[in-house]
């Protein structure tokens, strides 16, 4: 699909209006395809497969929009190799100043495997505590939504426990996405920059540390074209 998109992009480069229409129409099956699969087979399959198909469909849709609008990172459409790798990788691969794929640092694979193990361990601990307390420690079975001030501050441990579990689940998946490019010697974006521990403000949390792949895609496909 990435090869087809790049071929159409190059073929119609001198006719921007037609290029937008053709790429838009040809990209619809790619975006709708995962949703059709989920509609017929999703309820009968694991939630992990359901999430993975949805994630790949969304990311691929954003990158197709970048190709249509020409707002991708420098070098993403410099060659068919660059675009196919950029389009097919769930992790966002990086490009150097010359527009070539950026080489990963030494020892990245080992670092990623260690970080995956750490996040899985912390996530397992959070899940164990959550199951033992119904993710509501110190609340004695009360629903925070029915409590004054939503249970603050007594509900904070429950909120943070669930947050840690969700974070570890997402961070583990995104670190796994970086493994294949790392095996190939290609650098990629570190999506989670220790948001729960190092964030100094809500802006720092959402803009610089939490799920940077989606943040960067949203910025390039919506904010930049509109501005």
């Amino acid at each position: 699909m990435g090869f087809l998109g790049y071929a159409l992009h190059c073929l119609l480069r001198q006719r921007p209006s037609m290029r937008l229409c053709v790429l838009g129409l040809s990209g619809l099956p790619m975006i709708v395809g995962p949703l059709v699969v989920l509609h017929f087979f999703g309820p009968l399959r694991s939630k992990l497969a359901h999430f993975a198909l949805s994630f790949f469909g969304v990311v691929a849709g954003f990158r197709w929009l970048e190709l249509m609008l020409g707002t991708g990172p420098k070098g993403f459409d410099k060659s068919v190799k660059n675009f196919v790798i950029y389009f097919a990788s769930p992790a966002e691969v990086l490009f150097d100043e010359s527009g070539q794929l950026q080489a990963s640092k030494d020892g990245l694979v080992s670092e990623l495997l260690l970080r995956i193990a750490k996040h899985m361990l912390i996530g397992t601990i959070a899940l164990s505590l959550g199951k033992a307390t119904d993710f509501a420690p110190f609340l004695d079975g009360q629903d925070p939504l029915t409590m004054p001030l939503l249970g603050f501050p007594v509900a904070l441990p429950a909120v943070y426990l669930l947050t840690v579990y969700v974070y570890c689940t997402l961070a583990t998946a995104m670190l796994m996405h970086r493994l294949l490019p790392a095996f190939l010697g290609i650098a990629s974006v570190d999506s989670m920059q220790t948001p729960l521990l190092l964030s100094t403000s809500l802006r720092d949390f959402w803009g610089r540390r939490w799920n940077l792949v989606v943040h960067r895609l949203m910025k390039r496909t919506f904010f930049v074209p509109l501005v």
Side-chain angles (χ1 to χ4, degrees), residues 17-153:
S17 298
M18 180 176 289
R19 185 180 68 85
L20 279 174
C21 292
V22 172
L23 284 175
L25 291 174
S26 59
L28 282 176
M30 173 197 61
I31 299 172
V32 175
L35 301 178
V36 173
V37 172
L38 290 175
H39 175 73
F40 288 103
F41 302 104
L44 304 179
R45 298 294 183 267
S46 71
K47 291 182 179 179
L48 183 60
H50 205 107
F51 170 78
L53 270 177
S54 300
F55 179 82
F56 291 142
V58 169
V59 171
F62 274 120
R63 289 175 179 164
W64 197 266
L65 280 173
E66 287 183 322
L67 182 66
M68 292 172 58
L69 301 172
T71 56
K74 179 181 179 181
F76 87 112
D77 61 347
K78 186 173 184 178
S79 66
V80 64
K81 173 188 173 183
N82 280 17
F83 181 71
V84 169
I85 292 176
Y86 175 73
F87 177 78
S89 172
E92 182 181 328
V93 296
L94 294 173
F95 300 91
D96 58 24
E97 290 299 321
S98 63
Q100 300 299 325
L101 289 163
Q102 183 175 319
S104 61
K105 63 181 181 180
D106 294 337
L108 180 59
V109 174
S110 300
E111 177 189 324
L112 290 175
L113 290 173
L114 181 59
R115 290 177 63 188
I116 289 169
K118 288 179 179 178
H119 282 83
M120 290 180 70
L121 176 61
I122 297 172
T124 301
I125 294 172
L127 179 60
S128 299
L129 293 173
K131 284 191 172 183
T133 62
D134 291 327
F135 280 98
F138 309 115
L139 292 179
D140 298 323
Q142 299 182 75
D143 185 353
L145 295 177
T146 63
M147 299 170 66
L149 299 177
L150 298 178
F152 180 85

Side-chain angles (χ1 to χ4, degrees), residues 160-223:
Y160 203 76
L161 180 62
L162 185 58
T163 301
V164 168
Y165 175 65
V166 171
Y167 162 72
C168 287
T169 302
L170 290 175
T172 300
M174 291 177 178
L175 287 169
M176 288 181 174
H177 293 162
R178 298 183 64 200
L179 276 176
L180 182 57
F183 277 123
L184 299 175
I186 301 172
S188 56
V189 173
D190 190 359
S191 300
M192 297 288 194
Q193 301 280 342
T194 323
L196 302 186
L197 295 178
L198 300 183
S199 296
T200 57
S201 64
L202 285 175
R203 181 178 182 181
D204 186 43
F205 179 88
W206 289 114
R208 302 185 183 96
R209 297 189 179 278
W210 180 269
N211 202 350
L212 295 186
V213 168
V214 172
H215 172 80
R216 290 158 66 97
L217 285 171
M218 292 284 286
K219 180 178 180 179
R220 291 192 297 258
T221 51
F222 292 105
F223 179 76

